Amino acid sequence: MTVQECERLKRITARDTRICQTYLRIIKHNEEKQILVNGEFRRLIKKDLTVDKSILDKLTLTTSKRTTVPHDLKKRYSHCSHNEFQECRDKAIWTDESWRKLQAYSTMELKRPQFKTKTSRPMYPRITQGSYTVRVHFESGNTDAKLWLELRDSLDSKKSNKRIHKRLKLPLTYSPYHENKLKPEQIKQIELVYKSKERQWYAHFIQKYSVPSYQSTNPPAVLGVDLGIKKTAVAVLLTPRGKVIMDELCFIVNKERQSKIWQLNKRIKDIQKKLDTKINNGQSHNQLNVKLSQLRRKRRSITEQELGYAVNQLVEFILQLKKQYNLFVSVGYPKDIRKSYLRGSGSKSHRRQLHKWYYRLFITKLKYKLKRYGFEPHHVVAVKEKNTSNTCSSCNSTNTTRTGQGQFNCHKCKYELDADLNGAKNIAKRLIRYALKPKLRHPLKPKNYYVWDLLTKDNHPIELFKSLRPLGKWLR
Ligand SMILES: [Zn+2]
């Protein structure tokens, strides 16, 4: 890319940023007003907090039929095309909508969004007989770069009868991974981002895959998942019969990795002790610090591997069950950390963060994987893990003991079960209770059009409660 081209690109993105900012201002200016459209008054912000694109267009863009508008953008940015305006409009609308939704379930006053740094508009590749705003193509035989991004340079175009635009031709560097993944005909959106720290431009591509939709007429069932230390994960299915059948549970254990983590835990703890004494004596401790962070990084990567392995196993299990049931997955989410885990990782609050990171990562990975197989991600819900290990899953009594071998005994109803299974069963039951009594104190808070999840800070669509309701019938 020549210096001149680089300058042009900077100017184009700067202009786009200004247009996006203008759109945000127009939305703010008109959000309270009633706007006359085709003889009736309508609002720019719809009831579900989204922005009405057609009304916004009527406010800003002139067409051959519509000659005057309140905010004439085409007059202000005379070289910009209709398509380019719409691309900027979409960017502004996304930003505004995400702020609006956050504000809807926040008790604090959130700051309105602003485009301070240079952000490019999202560009949609469109090819209409040689005229395009952006195009990606592979070029064979060229040794410098094979992948090119061609961008319409719309800063100053010759205005005769027809507008003529120059093209900016940007070479892209990429890895073999990107070459495999990138299909120019599948690209739905391209965004150019300038990272000022690295002084480099990045091109972000969004490609569209089609995923089969998942609509089940099967009976509902809940899979309770308990993440643990000795066993990475234990999953139990609660069916309408309310029974646990042996081939409908899943233990995920990987002894090799687990012992690795235990060893690392021990070493980290030892070094932490040494470090503490050195700090107390005022000695230098740089080397120990380096060693400690090395070991922690190693532990983190092993934990992540272990997690990925567990998720893969669980996804296989879930996809099997999906054939028979309308399946919901309930994952136990901790409020407090278990003391023995992640020993020697600094302060208690730090350990708690690490622990939460582990659970969050698990849930995110699971949702992401399942989504690719057409399993609706809002069927995966986090529930509070508190007391699930010491409550009897048969009679809800807490007058129970847990023996050393991981056996669970209830003193009230004499129920005996594997302790991890009992925990997972309780986790499954908890999700059903949430659905039955949405007013009870639990972390799923319905608000307007969303269910706000206090545990994971995610949001689910309001349909979650509706689809969970039939499960309650067989809880009693
Ligand atoms: Zn009992």
Side-chain angles (χ1 to χ4, degrees), residues 238-279:
L238 277 191
T239 63
R241 288 156 283 150
K243 279 180 186 167
V244 180
I245 306 160
M246 271 321 272
D247 55 334
E248 286 173 343
L249 45 93
C250 173
F251 286 92
I252 299 164
V253 192
N254 189 327
K255 289 220 167 112
E256 200 188 317
R257 280 205 193 107
Q258 223 132 53
S259 68
K260 263 191 206 163
I261 291 178
W262 278 106
Q263 279 167 16
L264 277 171
N265 271 345
K266 213 176 150 245
R267 280 174 71 192
I268 289 172
K269 195 187 153 198
D270 290 345
I271 291 180
Q272 183 78 55
K273 259 188 190 168
K274 271 187 208 164
L275 189 69
D276 285 346
T277 48
K278 279 209 170 182
I279 290 172

Side-chain angles (χ1 to χ4, degrees), residues 1 17 30 75 94 107 128 140 166 215 230 243 283 301 307 319 334 366 390 394 419 422 440 465:
M1 202 156 71
T17 313
N30 288 292
K75 205 171 164 190
W94 291 334
T107 48
T128 42
S140 55
K166 275 188 193 164
Q215 256 190 346
K230 281 187 181 157
K243 279 180 186 167
Q283 289 161 309
S301 86
L307 206 75
L319 291 177
L366 188 66
N390 61 12
S394 176
N422 181 63
L440 214 69
F465 276 135

Side-chain angles (χ1 to χ4, degrees), residues 392-397 399-400 408 410-415:
C392 170
S393 62
S394 176
C395 69
N396 296 330
S397 162
N399 181 16
T400 57
F408 179 87
C410 173
H411 300 303
K412 199 179 165 198
C413 70
K414 308 292 172 211
Y415 189 59

Side-chain angles (χ1 to χ4, degrees), residues 36-54:
L36 192 64
V37 182
N38 300 337
E40 58 172 314
F41 281 104
R42 280 164 65 186
R43 276 181 177 271
L44 181 62
I45 313 296
K46 288 193 265 187
K47 270 188 181 169
D48 58 354
L49 301 181
T50 55
V51 178
D52 196 324
K53 279 184 189 180
S54 65

